[in-house]
Amino acid sequence: QPWLEFSAPKALYLGPIVETNAGGLERFQIPPQALVPDYDASREDEAFYRGLGAMWSFRRQFDKAKEALEQAAAVNPASSEAWVQLGELHLKLREFLKAEAAFTRAIALVPDDPQAYRWLARLHWQQRQRPLAQRFYLQAASLEVPDSAFAEELGDCWKEDSPVAAAELYRSAMSQGGGERPVLIAKYAQTLNTLKSWTTAQEVLV
């Protein structure tokens, strides 16, 4: 069966991954019938609907994306991946209550899913509910070793309460491949300045 391919930013959660190229794009496969408006997928096609929702989301056709992801969750209500992806779309649309319900449903299905906790933390962070965001970030961090992007998120969430912890998290993010990112470098240097580690901050900026 032939498949169509499209690319999307790596930061997005967009269904079945084919490969990641050097440009930071992840490529995804979508069956060609995804472009047929009246296509009626079978009950085994949860992955199809998730991929379809990813494609419409990437094209910023959010009504179509929501319809597809809601269908994915209806086809397989036991899929935590479908609920996380639906929650991510709700969060993007600032539908916070719906997003929280979707992420909570995913956690109920798979209590040790770090991605669901991480998205729930992001939801509370966007609503300026830092203590709740920290609570769920800690839960996510207990389930997986933070990579560069995750360590940076943790640093952002802790920099006001604990600059020392934030500096260590930013340092960890830089050591895992983020050392060439100007925004991350600036965050690390700013936190070091807050700690009055001016010499180290200058070395980071050089």
Side-chain angles (χ1 to χ4, degrees), residues 2-6 18 28-35 55 59:
W3 292 74
L4 305 177
E5 292 188 351
F6 71 100
V18 179
F28 304 85
Q29 292 184 328
I30 296 295
Q33 60 263 47
L35 304 179
M55 181 184 69
R59 294 179 177 180

Side-chain angles (χ1 to χ4, degrees), residues 10-191:
K10 185 177 179 182
L12 299 178
Y13 178 90
L14 293 174
I17 298 172
V18 179
E19 63 181 278
T20 301
N21 63 26
L25 295 179
E26 291 180 349
R27 302 176 66 198
F28 304 85
Q29 292 184 328
I30 296 295
Q33 60 263 47
L35 304 179
V36 179
D38 59 352
Y39 174 68
D40 183 19
S42 72
R43 291 190 62 82
E44 288 72 38
D45 278 339
E46 171 219 338
F48 163 80
Y49 282 119
R50 288 175 53 215
L52 182 58
M55 181 184 69
W56 288 130
S57 181
F58 179 62
R59 294 179 177 180
R60 303 189 67 80
Q61 298 189 40
F62 297 124
D63 288 342
K64 292 181 178 180
K66 187 184 298 186
E67 181 180 355
L69 295 176
E70 287 175 346
Q71 187 62 35
V75 165
N76 185 7
S79 170
S80 64
E81 293 89 349
W83 288 106
V84 168
Q85 196 171 344
L86 179 58
E88 181 187 351
L89 180 61
H90 284 308
L91 182 57
K92 181 181 294 184
L93 298 175
R94 301 187 65 81
E95 298 171 347
F96 295 128
L97 292 178
K98 291 181 178 180
E100 183 173 12
F103 296 141
T104 301
R105 179 72 175 270
I107 290 170
L109 291 166
V110 182
D112 59 352
D113 179 8
Q115 288 303 314
Y117 285 107
R118 190 171 168 186
W119 278 108
L120 197 52
R122 289 168 175 163
L123 181 151
H124 289 294
W125 178 249
Q126 284 193 25
Q127 297 180 88
R128 302 177 184 272
Q129 299 170 340
R130 191 165 67 248
L132 282 173
Q134 290 175 345
R135 170 188 169 190
F136 290 115
Y137 270 133
L138 286 174
Q139 188 67 40
S142 73
L143 296 169
E144 68 174 355
V145 177
D147 59 12
S148 178
F150 190 6
E152 182 179 356
E153 284 185 50
L154 291 170
D156 292 345
C157 194
W158 260 270
K159 65 182 177 182
E160 291 187 25
D161 293 332
S162 177
V164 173
E168 179 59 27
L169 288 162
Y170 289 143
R171 187 202 61 77
S172 174
M174 291 180 64
S175 70
Q176 296 184 69
E180 297 182 358
R181 293 183 52 240
V183 172
L184 177 57
I185 293 171
K187 288 178 181 178
Y188 185 33
Q190 182 181 25
T191 306

